[in-house]
Amino acid sequence: MPASYVIMPRMTSNRDLLSRSLSAVWHPCTQMKRHETLPLVPIARGEGIWLYDFDGKRYLDTVSSWWVNLFGHCNPRINAALVDQLGKLEHVMLAGFTHEPVVQLSERLCGLAPAGLGHCFYGSDGASATEIALKMSAHYWRNSSQPEKTQFISLQNSYHGETLGALSVTDVALFRDAYGALIKQNATVPSPDWREAEAGESAEAFALRCADALEAHLQQHHARLAAFIVEPLIQGAAGMAMYHPIYLKRARELCSQYGVHLIADEIAVGMGRTGTMFACEQAGITPDFLLISKGITGGYLPLSIVMTTDDIYQAFYADETARGFLHSHSYTGNPLACRAALATLDIFEQDDVLAANRVKADFFNRIAQPLRDHRKVKNFRHTGMVWAFEVDTPHVDFAQRCFSLGLQHELLLRPMGNTLYFMPPYIISEEEMQMLVAHTLAIIDALS
Ligand SMILES: Cc1ncc(COP(=O)(O)O)c(C=O)c1O
């Protein structure tokens, strides 16, 4: 074997990997200087819900590795599908070519998504799906002789990704402000997050009140609006803000009434996370665009999909090239990622995952009662396989302390401010749920 093919075995330790990472890797969503005092967590391997470092120390992945993992790390069924696919086709461009995994995946998603979404356009990460939907919406109006419809609206505290187009509909100052001069200005409308309801006002009444504000905005601005983009049922980055499905139902009616597209960003909440395959089902609506990513590959590979209607597809179908949707990414519809997605859908079917999750969620709600009742816990809330609450704490750096203390208790916790949440892989066992509650109680006691 030529010398250049020989990979020298290298003994890696926690300490070795940390220092090499800090010198060579610029980590995402991080002020790198913080790692002078807050060490990175080295991960050697994953199995099921657990991540292990090089000394065998383990961490329960309560956040599904940024909300992507559904069936555990190194899942044997997804692994086997990928190994099989590796022997057939690793990649081919999707412009001018097609392949079995992307066709099968599109067919199966059309059968699973709310009725009427018959066309799948492929991207890679979640933010690329947001970009695609925004561009497709505005281009639709241009192709429909309404080129002035180029503005978008999103909810207050919305999050739709970090690329420039996605930031234009993301309402998180920390992520936006540095790039303000580069970002298109779009308006926001009040969020139906029920934590903001008046005392005595139900989540439903509050959602309807917020829908009235949406209507007022649409009434005034619809002529220039292309689309309203929304995270259905849970605004993840807003601190797992949850809201009543009636808001989505009203948003659908109002968007149809005022000729504005509705984009449902189910990047975080799709794939069973809210208790139904897609959150929109709980409001009985079909959006004009449905965005899917994260859990679709079981947390294995980047893949995103924008599903849309015949009406939108037909507006691009013409003799002129420029009326077509000419957007692309090199890895669009990658066969390996599609195959991981097909294996993920197989698990949903074969294991009746949605029903199994209902049983798990009931169990967790029962054993989480001491958390719900804890005097320092506020707004305990739950939807599907997501739980969240605020901790009344004197520590301004609660998130960092909680993360560090979590690691000492074998938990990967990643609070947002003083909001602590659990979004575990669906394979979490009863024993692991019990451990999660017991260790979280100990952490809250220590930090409140
Ligand atoms: C609702 C929502 N939209 C879009 C994104 C962006 O996805 P990605 O990080 O894969 O670009 C996220 C990521 O957390 C998200 O939660």
Side-chain angles (χ1 to χ4, degrees):
M1 188 183 273
S4 59
Y5 291 169
V6 177
I7 298 172
M8 295 302 291
R10 181 167 188 154
M11 294 301 289
T12 309
S13 65
N14 284 342
R15 182 196 283 262
D16 177 43
L17 195 72
L18 293 192
S19 71
R20 281 168 50 211
S21 195
L22 286 179
S23 36
V25 182
W26 194 338
H27 289 266
C29 202
T30 300
Q31 169 48 266
M32 290 299 291
K33 193 166 194 298
R34 282 181 69 196
H35 284 309
E36 286 177 5
T37 50
L38 181 72
L40 283 164
V41 185
I43 297 300
R45 67 183 186 89
E47 190 182 334
I49 202 165
W50 297 98
L51 293 165
Y52 295 85
D53 74 7
F54 291 86
D55 297 334
K57 194 165 183 314
R58 62 178 196 166
Y59 309 103
L60 191 146
D61 188 355
T62 76
V63 297
S64 297
S65 286
W66 254 350
W67 319 346
V68 300
N69 191 293
L70 303 189
F71 300 123
H73 296 278
C74 287
N75 181 288
R77 285 192 269 180
I78 304 176
N79 285 3
L82 284 173
V83 168
D84 180 63
Q85 186 59 39
L86 275 170
K88 291 179 174 154
L89 176 67
E90 82 303 339
H91 186 63
V92 63
M93 62 178 160
L94 201 57
F97 295 82
T98 194
H99 54 82
E100 184 67 29
V102 79
V103 174
Q104 261 195 43
L105 181 59
S106 308
E107 290 169 347
R108 286 178 72 175
L109 285 174
C110 293
L112 285 169
L117 297 168
H119 303 274
C120 296
F121 193 97
Y122 284 78
S124 38
D125 286 278
S128 68
T130 303
E131 298 288 340
I132 289 163
L134 299 180
K135 283 177 68 180
M136 230 182 227
S137 172
H139 196 163
Y140 168 94
W141 294 115
R142 180 185 160 91
N143 283 354
S144 311
S145 307
Q146 290 180 268
E148 64 289 350
K149 284 169 84 71
T150 56
Q151 296 290 314
F152 299 98
I153 44 174
S154 63
L155 292 179
Q156 274 164 5
N157 305 319
S158 56
Y159 182 90
H160 298 286
E162 309 267 354
T163 51
L164 291 177
L167 278 178
S168 79
V169 287
T170 287
D171 185 32
V172 182
L174 185 63
F175 300 147
R176 267 184 72 114
D177 284 358
Y179 315 103
L182 311 179
I183 299 170
K184 181 177 157 70
Q185 293 305 305
N186 287 311
T188 57
V189 290
S191 163
D193 170 2
W194 68 250
R195 290 173 300 179
E196 300 300 322
E198 302 281 338
E201 187 179 30
S202 70
E204 183 171 5
F206 181 59
L208 286 170
R209 187 150 67 84
C210 292
D212 289 345
L214 170 65
E215 175 160 28
H217 190 92
L218 288 172
Q219 215 164 38
Q220 206 183 342
H221 301 285
H222 65 93
R224 295 184 57 80
L225 282 176
F228 173 36
I229 183 166
V230 65
E231 295 157 85
L233 298 187
I234 306 176
Q235 291 183 274
M240 298 299 156
M242 297 183 186
Y243 63 88
H244 196 281
I246 192 88
Y247 183 82
L248 294 174
K249 199 167 172 332
R250 280 299 289 144
R252 174 66 283 179
E253 289 163 359
L254 292 168
C255 284
S256 299
Q257 183 184 337
Y258 287 97
V260 170
H261 291 142
L262 178 65
I263 304 173
D265 174 351
E266 297 224 13
I267 289 165
V269 298
M271 308 311 296
R273 200 38 95 171
T274 64
T276 42
M277 195 57 148
F278 296 104
C280 282
E281 292 168 42
Q282 296 183 41
I285 63 158
T286 298
D288 299 289
F289 299 93
L290 178 73
L291 314 189
I292 305 171
S293 189
K294 290 199 185 267
I296 181 69
T297 62
Y300 267 63
L301 287 160
L303 182 73
S304 59
I305 302 139
V306 176
M307 298 189 72
T308 192
T309 60
D310 257 356
D311 173 45
I312 288 165
Y313 181 77
Q314 288 304 333
F316 292 82
Y317 201 84
D319 290 326
E320 307 100 277
T321 306
R323 277 180 75 93
F325 191 60
L326 304 184
H327 184 101
S328 65
H329 300 282
S330 308
Y331 284 99
T332 286
N334 171 260
L336 287 166
C338 290
R339 193 63 197 279
L342 288 169
T344 299
L345 293 182
D346 287 345
I347 296 176
F348 268 101
E349 257 177 49
Q350 289 160 9
D351 297 2
D352 199 355
V353 169
L354 296 178
N357 281 356
R358 281 194 287 278
V359 176
K360 284 191 186 198
D362 284 349
F363 178 82
F364 192 82
N365 282 332
R366 278 199 303 280
I367 62 162
Q369 198 59 40
L371 263 179
R372 196 187 286 269
D373 294 341
H374 194 287
R375 66 197 166 83
K376 297 290 182 181
V377 167
K378 311 277 176 248
N379 303 325
F380 189 96
R381 54 197 178 275
H382 156 242
T383 301
M385 288 296 280
V386 184
W387 289 264
F389 51 88
E390 277 71 53
V391 178
D392 185 4
T393 170
H395 301 292
V396 283
D397 57 350
F398 171 80
Q400 184 170 323
R401 284 173 187 256
C402 184
F403 174 76
S404 302
L405 205 50
L407 296 178
Q408 290 172 33
H409 284 82
E410 298 191 319
L411 297 181
L412 192 178
L413 297 169
R414 212 164 185 276
M416 294 182 262
N418 69 335
T419 301
L420 194 47
Y421 72 92
F422 309 131
M423 201 161 163
Y426 303 160
I427 46 127
I428 190 168
S429 69
E430 291 192 351
E431 197 186 350
E432 286 155 353
M433 288 190 246
Q434 267 156 342
M435 174 213 156
L436 174 55
V437 171
H439 290 204
T440 303
L441 281 167
I443 292 165
I444 294 172
D445 284 338
L447 294 180
S448 60

